Amino acid sequence: MALELPENVVISKLDALASWCRKNSLWPMPFATACCGIELMATGASKHDLARFGAEVFRFSPRQCDLMIVAGRVVMKMLPVLQRIWSQMHEPKWCISMGACASTGGVFDTYSVVQGIDRFLPVDMYVPGCPPRPEQLIQSIIDLQDKIQREGTISGREFTTAARQQPKRALVEVAAASQLDSARNPVF
Amino acid sequence: MPMASPGTITALTAKFPLVIKSEFRGETRVVLPVEQLLEIMGFLKGELGFDYLVDITCVDYLNYRDARDRFGLVYLLSNISANERLTARVYLNEPNLTVPSVVPLWEGANWLEREVYDMFGIVFDGHPDLRRILCPEEFTAYPLRKDYPMQGRGERHNFMRLGRDET
Ligand code: SF4
């Protein structure tokens, strides 16, 4: 009976398991550039206690994070830094745009302020407010967890990039070495 | 705020007759001719004891009522030992927006002049390192000029977009 199940059932269950693991251990990368960052700190601190939702370990290294929280305005000169940090984070990764400034530029409609980071980066959740209360940020993280569980990596988008399709470097080197070997010691 | 003593002003105007002085609410301001700027600044520092350059800033008088000149470059000087302050101005008009740098007199002028250059496009002749200080290097305009649009000239859209697939 079990053998007759179509293969993809198993795959989707595994995916759900992976998503479940991921959504409950988000590692936020705090990109706090302005006043919203204070609320972000409050969210992580004891009173609001983000740890209850499995996302309390803020890391300041993009390599260790999978959730970027952009809290505050981003100016033009900062944008390349933001993009670079986003590129350095490993897939799967998500982005929360916290506050009016990060989402739309807020009241700072001037030459130097980026009018919404989603013009330059993919954003998963927008949190309105100036600044949003910690409850709102927590709500957005809960919603994001829902989204992660629902969408997961069903498309496997982190595995579909061109770079991922290439054989691993070690494999390439082994293959090259064995070719070299066989050239050096021809088999008669 | 302490103002410049009458003796200081008299000494300055006696040596440089082209200096125009004016008063406003007990503050004495002087307008310096740009050709003599470095000479006068050297005199102010060396002879009159203005050993501290507080700030350099600039005003764009475009569309300002009764204004005759476009840019007013403002030097705020201070004499720490005598507790005197002096506001000195230089008026500039396009296309000649070059003034001599005062970095040889006050080292602290370095970043102040870079900021004025960045925001207003005033060129400081003889500055050791006249680069933009606040705006990105690729920026081409001078954003604090009054004819610069509030919302920019599209500089902020010139970045690449990162999508889900690029990274
Ligand atoms: S949205 Fe409000 S609180 Fe947040 S960075 Fe902007 S101005 Fe500050």
Side-chain angles (χ1 to χ4, degrees):
Chain A
M1 178 71 190
L3 286 177
E4 279 163 28
L5 275 177
E7 244 176 74
N8 59 0
V9 171
V10 178
I11 290 171
S12 85
K13 292 292 185 201
L14 269 179
D15 209 68
L17 179 68
S19 302
W20 179 76
C21 296
R22 279 170 178 158
K23 80 169 188 182
N24 289 308
S25 82
L26 289 170
W27 290 57
M29 155 92 222
F31 196 92
T33 47
C35 10
C36 274
I38 305 292
E39 292 306 284
L40 179 60
M41 289 175 227
T43 315
S46 54
K47 182 159 180 185
H48 296 280
D49 196 9
L50 201 53
R52 294 175 292 158
F53 307 95
E56 80 279 20
V57 201
F58 285 78
R59 287 290 142 161
F60 294 88
S61 149
R63 301 274 187 215
Q64 298 176 325
C65 299
D66 54 6
L67 168 62
M68 184 163 73
I69 302 180
V70 183
R73 26 188 188 278
V74 177
V75 293
M76 269 174 51
K77 210 172 172 180
M78 186 59 102
L79 188 68
V81 179
L82 178 66
Q83 287 186 326
R84 196 183 179 109
I85 287 178
W86 174 255
S87 317
Q88 284 181 344
M89 286 167 59
H90 289 299
E91 286 275 10
K93 57 190 172 187
W94 298 274
C95 176
I96 290 181
S97 162
M98 176 181 179
C101 289
S103 308
T104 67
V107 295
F108 303 98
D109 191 5
T110 69
Y111 64 93
S112 55
V113 178
V114 170
Q115 301 298 294
I117 57 163
D118 55 354
R119 296 188 183 205
F120 303 101
L121 285 180
V123 173
D124 291 283
M125 287 283 156
Y126 300 86
V127 191
C130 176
R133 286 195 51 85
E135 291 91 323
Q136 278 173 278
L137 182 61
I138 291 175
Q139 183 65 52
S140 83
I141 288 178
I142 294 173
D143 290 349
L144 182 67
Q145 288 177 336
D146 263 5
K147 179 174 172 176
I148 295 170
Q149 181 69 68
R150 249 186 303 114
E151 299 180 0
T153 55
I154 268 172
S155 65
R157 63 178 150 74
E158 70 265 33
F159 303 114
T160 59
T161 58
R164 289 297 196 131
Q165 302 294 318
Q166 302 300 318
K168 294 277 173 288
R169 200 185 72 202
L171 292 181
V172 175
E173 278 167 7
V174 166
S178 66
Q179 246 175 20
L180 211 64
D181 274 356
S182 55
R184 217 179 278 142
N185 309 316
V187 188
F188 295 106
Chain B
M1 196 167 71
M3 52 180 279
S5 71
T8 304
I9 302 293
T10 326
L12 180 63
T13 44
K15 181 136 173 52
F16 300 99
L18 287 180
V19 170
I20 306 161
K21 69 169 183 154
S22 63
E23 245 186 66
F24 183 72
R25 292 189 182 163
E27 283 278 322
T28 312
R29 294 100 42 100
V30 290
V31 176
L32 314 178
V34 64
E35 305 79 36
Q36 287 182 307
L37 179 71
L38 207 53
E39 204 184 330
I40 298 177
M41 286 298 185
F43 179 72
L44 282 169
K45 185 187 176 195
E47 311 291 320
L48 299 181
F50 285 95
D51 45 3
Y52 177 44
L53 177 70
V54 180
D55 200 4
I56 302 177
T57 183
C58 187
V59 186
D60 185 352
Y61 288 106
L62 185 72
N63 302 330
Y64 194 85
R65 74 190 132 77
D66 302 334
R68 272 173 293 138
D69 301 283
R70 173 80 196 267
F71 293 104
L73 196 57
V74 187
Y75 293 83
L76 303 178
L77 301 175
S78 169
N79 178 343
I80 291 179
S81 45
N83 197 17
E84 284 184 36
R85 292 264 191 158
L86 183 68
T87 306
R89 248 166 244 258
V90 181
Y91 287 116
L92 299 169
N93 283 295
E94 279 174 311
N96 188 16
L97 295 182
T98 307
V99 290
S101 165
V102 295
V103 174
L105 295 172
W106 295 279
E107 270 292 316
N110 192 321
W111 282 19
L112 301 173
E113 289 183 347
R114 277 179 68 185
E115 186 182 350
V116 172
Y117 165 71
D118 192 358
M119 291 292 146
F120 293 93
I122 310 286
V123 178
F124 292 88
D125 198 18
H127 189 285
D129 181 28
L130 197 61
R131 283 179 297 132
R132 287 184 175 273
I133 191 168
L134 297 173
C135 291
E137 303 259 308
E138 314 85 55
F139 213 86
T140 50
Y142 303 108
L144 282 197
R145 287 190 180 181
K146 286 281 188 280
D147 54 2
Y148 184 83
M150 276 284 245
Q151 299 171 333
R153 291 210 170 107
E155 285 94 349
R156 62 191 182 192
H157 304 302
N158 295 341
F159 290 95
M160 68 170 173
R161 277 188 72 111
L162 287 183
R164 277 285 178 197
D165 298 329
E166 272 93 328
T167 48

